[in-house]
């Protein structure tokens, strides 16, 4: 049997095992809260691995190694953003919002501002964002399967079918179980493969010689921490940090925690773990460029390196774990999107099933999981590049929603009208830059959009009358049983 055939067999077997582990979660689902939030019973290990897996799939592994293959050390930008974002999430808001026993981050906005319009606009933007981020995972999965000789488009379709299949049935329980099973393989296997790849490339001296002699890169930029450009790095880091602080997929993990203390500690722990892990995909991507300078599909840089420097059996398990982590990121995002539809639109805005726990609501959640997965596939096949898609999705959501969320937490004078103005102005400003309607001269679109949102938020809030503080406090008082 050829090495490629053996690797294919091992990867298929691994994914079957992971699917079985995930589907085991169906036995724990008795209602919509079990499907969306694992019954709020997850402990620190499960929450930490879940938060880590949400970033460590398509972004912090595949995306960073792809950027590092092209730009060198500065490819670490995305990982730096993810780590800082999760640490800030733990410090600023994880404990406070978990105490409220919410289902979505837009539940908080609706409570804080007492507005269905705020809920609807922010939930709509979040759905667009999570669909775009799933699309990035689809691109990453296609890149991972490309080393088996599978066309990336066909690989993307296969990945979508796989992660939709077990997400629809297993929900958050399935996601949590698969995260715990595979994340340790990734955080151990990727560093080993990257260091072995670095040795095969001649160590850091080999990277230096390659950068000086290759016509593909500029040596001074390849080893500069800002080699891709400060503006480009800020364009990656800023929206990632902002998204981490408001992203439904992260809060859904925190809301699944069994306590507020678990939510806070797990967010900080996941950020620190990602910060340590961040350097290895960079080393792997740069080493892959030395060893495979003519790689056509740069998103498969790290899987190609793994398949070449490790024994075929170990390589197959690590590649399979990366692929499974990518799909785990995607499935948690799909649940985040379908939770918005069922909780924010179906239950709260449309007034169907006020308790949110009927079989019909669970059916709605599963149908929308399928719909959003198909939409993500279309997006992935339309917009190439993992980090490009991620940055686009983060910008669209963070520009409008970041200020109302953080402003609501930090500023008591904020008003409903100010929040609405911030969402509209920020989204318009960010999207105008993303689609080239306005030229911001190298300033990241999310920064301009966020600035527009902040100005609108402050000005309109100061011009309108705030609710009595007692009324807001009553809505935001935790239930004693959930503290």
């Amino acid at each position: 049997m050829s090495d490629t055939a053996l690797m294919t067999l091992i990867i298929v077997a691994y994914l079957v095992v992971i699917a079985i582990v995930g589907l085991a979660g169906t036995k724990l689902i008795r209602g919509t809260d079990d499907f969306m939030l694992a019954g709020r019973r997850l402990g620190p290990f499960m929450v930490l691995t879940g938060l880590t897996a949400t970033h460590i799939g398509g972004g912090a592994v595949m995306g960073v190694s792809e950027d590092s293959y092209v730009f060198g050390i500065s490819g670490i930008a995305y990982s730096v953003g993810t780590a800082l974002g999760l640490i800030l999430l733990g410090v600023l808001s994880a404990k406070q919002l978990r105490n409220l026993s919410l289902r979505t981050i837009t539940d908080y906005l609706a409570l804080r501002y007492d507005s269905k319009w705020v809920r609807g606009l922010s939930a709509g933007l979040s759905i667009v964002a999570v669909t775009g981020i799933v699309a990035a995972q689809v691109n990453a999965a296609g890149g991972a399967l490309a080393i088996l000789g599978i066309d990336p488009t066909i690989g993307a379709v296969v990945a979508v079918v796989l992660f939709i299949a077990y997400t629809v049935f297993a929900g958050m329980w399935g996601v949590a179980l698969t995260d715990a099973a595979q994340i340790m393989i990734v955080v151990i296997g990727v560093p080993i493969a990257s260091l072995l790849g670095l040795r095969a490339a001649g160590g850091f001296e080999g990277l230096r010689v390659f950068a000086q002699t290759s016509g593909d890169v500029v040596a001074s930029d390849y080893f500069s921490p800002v080699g891709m450009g400060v503006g480009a790095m800020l364009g990656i880091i800023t929206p990632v940090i902002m998204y981490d602080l408001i992203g439904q997929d992260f809060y859904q993990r925190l809301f699944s925690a069994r306590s507020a203390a678990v939510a806070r500690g797990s967010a900080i722990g996941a950020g620190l773990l990602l910060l340590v892990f961040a350097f290895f995909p960079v080393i792997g991507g740069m080493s892959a460029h030395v060893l495979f300078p003519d790689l056509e599909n740069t998103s498969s840089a790290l899987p190609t390196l793994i398949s070449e420097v490790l024994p075929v059996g170990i390589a197959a398990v690590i590649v399979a774990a990366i692929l499974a982590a990518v799909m785990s990121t995607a499935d948690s995002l799909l649940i985040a999107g379908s939770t918005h539809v069922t909780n924010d639109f179906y239950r709260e805005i449309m007034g169907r099933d006020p308790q949110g726990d009927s079989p019909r609501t669970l059916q709605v959640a599963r149908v929308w999981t399928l719909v959003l997965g198909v939409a993500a596939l279309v997006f992935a096949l339309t917009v190439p590049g993992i980090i490009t898609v991620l940055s686009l999705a983060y910008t669209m959501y963070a520009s409008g929603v970041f200020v109302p969320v953080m402003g609501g937490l930090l500023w008591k004078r904020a008003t409903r009208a100010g929040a609405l103005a911030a969402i509209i102005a920020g989204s318009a400003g960010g999207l105008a830059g993303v689609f080239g309607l306005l030229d911001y001269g190298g300033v990241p679109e999310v920064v301009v959009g966020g600035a527009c949102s902040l100005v609108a938020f402050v000005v309109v809030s100061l011009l309108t009358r705030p609710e009595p503080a007692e009324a807001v406090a009553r809505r935001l008082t935790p239930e004693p049983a959930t503290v």
Side-chain angles (χ1 to χ4, degrees):
M1 181 182 292
S2 69
D3 285 352
T4 300
L6 179 58
M7 179 173 284
T8 302
L9 180 61
I10 294 173
I11 289 176
V12 170
Y14 181 93
L15 293 178
V16 169
V17 171
I18 287 296
I20 292 172
V21 170
L23 288 171
T26 58
K27 297 180 180 179
L28 300 171
I29 296 175
R30 297 178 177 84
T32 53
D33 272 0
D34 286 320
F35 182 81
M36 298 173 186
L37 300 171
R40 303 187 194 273
R41 286 183 280 167
L42 298 185
F45 177 74
M46 300 286 273
V47 179
L48 185 148
T49 54
L51 289 169
T52 305
T54 300
H55 269 314
I56 216 168
V61 173
M62 299 290 289
V64 168
S65 62
E66 178 184 16
D67 269 7
S68 299
Y69 183 97
V70 177
F71 298 109
I73 291 176
S74 59
I76 201 172
Y78 178 84
S79 288
V80 171
T82 63
L84 294 177
L86 286 179
I87 292 170
L88 289 173
L89 176 65
V91 171
L92 296 177
S93 59
K95 185 174 182 179
Q96 180 179 349
L97 294 188
R98 170 59 186 89
N99 268 334
L100 295 175
S101 295
L102 308 173
R103 289 188 176 96
T104 64
I105 184 61
T106 41
D107 273 343
Y108 166 74
L109 288 170
L111 287 174
R112 173 62 179 84
Y113 300 108
D114 192 24
S115 170
K116 287 187 176 181
W117 279 102
V118 170
R119 179 192 290 275
L121 286 174
S122 55
L125 286 171
S126 182
I127 290 170
V128 172
V130 298
T131 303
I133 302 167
V134 172
Q137 311 310 313
V138 173
N139 277 334
L145 290 171
I147 67 166
L148 302 176
I150 299 173
D151 181 89
T153 300
I154 297 175
V157 174
V158 170
V160 168
V161 171
L162 285 173
F163 68 67
I164 286 178
Y166 71 79
T167 305
V168 165
F169 292 103
M172 182 56 78
W173 271 117
V175 172
L177 291 170
T178 55
D179 287 347
Q182 68 209 9
I183 197 65
M184 299 309 296
I185 298 175
V186 177
V187 298
I188 294 173
V190 168
I192 292 174
S194 297
L195 293 176
L196 290 176
L198 178 63
R199 186 176 70 175
F204 289 106
E205 178 63 18
L207 298 183
R208 186 187 65 80
V209 171
F210 168 78
Q212 291 177 340
T213 58
S214 172
D216 293 342
V217 300
V218 177
S220 58
D221 291 340
Y222 209 59
F223 286 96
S224 169
V226 292
M228 72 169 65
V230 174
M233 294 186 71
L234 286 176
I236 294 172
I237 294 173
T238 306
V240 171
I241 292 176
M242 293 172 68
Y243 182 82
D244 278 8
L245 289 168
I246 60 173
Q248 170 62 19
D249 43 326
F250 296 106
Y251 278 104
Q252 196 146 351
R253 305 279 191 174
L254 300 180
F255 297 159
S256 300
R258 68 186 180 206
S259 71
V262 168
R264 184 178 188 273
S266 299
I268 295 172
L272 294 174
L273 178 59
L274 282 169
L275 196 59
V276 173
F277 179 82
F279 297 95
F280 296 105
V282 173
I283 293 172
M286 295 174 70
S287 300
H289 202 159
V290 175
L291 298 171
F292 318 107
D294 300 320
L295 197 63
E296 292 184 7
N297 183 13
T298 56
S299 66
S300 64
L302 191 59
T304 301
L305 180 72
I306 291 170
S307 68
E308 293 294 331
V309 302
L310 292 174
V312 63
I314 298 175
V317 171
I318 296 175
V319 171
I322 292 174
L323 181 59
V326 167
M327 293 193 295
S328 182
T329 302
D331 56 30
S332 63
L333 287 157
L334 289 181
I335 292 176
S338 65
T339 300
H340 276 309
V341 174
T342 54
N343 181 73
D344 293 309
F345 289 102
Y346 183 75
R347 189 173 76 91
E348 296 291 346
I349 294 178
M350 296 172 62
R352 307 286 182 86
D353 185 20
Q355 298 304 314
D357 205 28
S358 74
R360 173 64 176 171
T361 302
L362 183 57
Q363 183 182 6
V364 169
R366 283 174 163 158
V367 168
W368 275 96
T369 299
L370 173 62
V371 171
L372 294 176
V374 173
L377 175 62
V378 174
F379 193 3
L381 299 179
T382 304
V383 183
I386 298 169
I387 298 298
T388 299
V389 176
L390 283 169
S391 297
L392 176 63
Y394 290 152
T395 297
M396 294 173 71
Y397 178 55
S399 294
V401 180
F402 177 80
V403 169
V405 171
M406 301 311 297
L409 288 168
L410 301 174
W411 190 35
K412 294 182 179 181
R413 181 64 177 75
T415 68
R416 178 188 307 127
L420 283 170
I423 292 171
I424 295 170
S427 300
L431 291 177
V434 167
F435 292 112
L437 301 177
L438 295 174
D439 183 3
Y440 297 146
V443 179
E445 291 88 354
V446 72
V447 173
V448 177
C452 294
S453 181
L454 180 61
V455 170
F457 184 69
V458 172
V459 171
V460 175
S461 290
L462 291 175
L463 293 176
T464 52
R465 179 178 297 179
E467 279 190 276
E470 296 80 6
V472 177
R474 279 196 302 271
R475 293 197 300 270
L476 296 176
T477 299
E479 301 175 11
T482 63
V483 175

